[in-house]
Amino acid sequence: MALRSRILGCGAYLPSRVVSNAELSTRVDTTDEWIVQRTGIRQRHVAADGELTSDLAVAAARGALAAGGVSADALDLIVLATTTPDHTFPATATKVQAALGMTGGAAFDVQAVCAGFIFALAVADNFLRLGQARKALVIGAETFSRLLDWNDRGTCVLFGDGAGAVLLGAEEAADNKARGILSTHLHTDGRTYDLLYVDGGPSSTGQVGKVRMDGQGVFRHAVGKLAAAVDEALAANGLVASDVDWLVPHQANQRIIDGMARKLGLGPERVVSTVARHANTSAASIPLALAEAAGDGRLKPGQIVLMEGIGGGLAWGSCLARW
Ligand code: ACO
């Protein structure tokens, strides 16, 4: 019998400080109206001084372990998606491993910016399906505020901090109706590297750097690439758009989310959207949205859940799951 990764629990953490659009408009030349109309974002959470990506990740991880009823010593894998590691090395995942009290197995980071959670989920799913791990935590955690140029109104209004986590367990799948991850599909196109990047790094400037973005360029690629990834996922599983119960997209911009929902023919009541309250939390956005919808009972066992995301690289992908 084939192994499948089932999602056993979700966790989330958002820093307590909330920054409204009105507060941002006292720092840069912007308005609440402009931000809401172009993005749907109304506020974002920002980590406190000294609050690190690993702190956010540990809080979300503890939530996922509690929701799944699994203790950290049963874990044999942590895959942490982040663009904002505590340090250039070691992997932030190893700090999380120690904080959770997990002493065996392996923990490492994956970097695919806003698509990072989908990439991390794909890596962990493959470990579980191959029998190389039995219980895995997949975490998306970001202190993206630390990469922002707070004088650039084109980017500083878009992002926020947070973390989300899912606990995966390998289970025998009797047939295709078994719950768990059905497929993951990953893509990158390095020719679009300059559309969205950080202008620093250990090997280039020796400084951390700040986010630089061609917003319209990213927007132009987003819906087309995501739509193709979704078509690919549905076709691989012999499903059609109307089979999807929930779209849980990367939360970058409500207009991109609406474009994807229209393409799938899904009404807003079938789309999990947190972008108004969280803004774009990069790799954390999908697991934060999953944790919210799982926590309030929207996601029900057996439902088809479609996750998709795109970010710097460009990197994009999808995950289709039976909840
Ligand atoms: N407040 C007020 N005005 C602003 C702001 C702001 N915060 N930011 C830009 N503007 C101005 C610009 O300077 C420009 O002014 P000008 O006409 O005088 O030159 C005007 O608004 C229009 O700027 P555009 O960049 O053309 O605005 P657009 O409608 O494209 O919206 C946005 C910008 C929201 C960034 C949009 O392009 C977008 O959402 N792109 C997707 C990018 C994205 O989501 N990135 C996140 C990371 S990647 C991912 O997660 C998918």
Side-chain angles (χ1 to χ4, degrees), residues 29-31 34-35 38-39 114 153-154 157-159 196 213-216 218-219 222 250 252-253 255-256 280 310-312:
D29 182 13
T30 190
T31 61
W34 191 97
I35 300 170
R38 306 285 176 124
T39 70
C114 297
R153 67 178 182 174
V157 303
L158 300 176
F159 296 93
L196 177 54
M213 180 178 75
D214 169 356
Q216 288 197 5
V218 173
F219 203 102
H250 167 51
N253 181 309
R255 290 190 291 155
I256 298 175
N280 182 346
I310 185 165

Side-chain angles (χ1 to χ4, degrees), residues 21-22 25 30-42:
N21 290 348
S25 69
T30 190
T31 61
D32 175 58
E33 188 190 9
W34 191 97
I35 300 170
V36 172
Q37 190 196 31
R38 306 285 176 124
T39 70
I41 296 166
R42 295 181 180 275

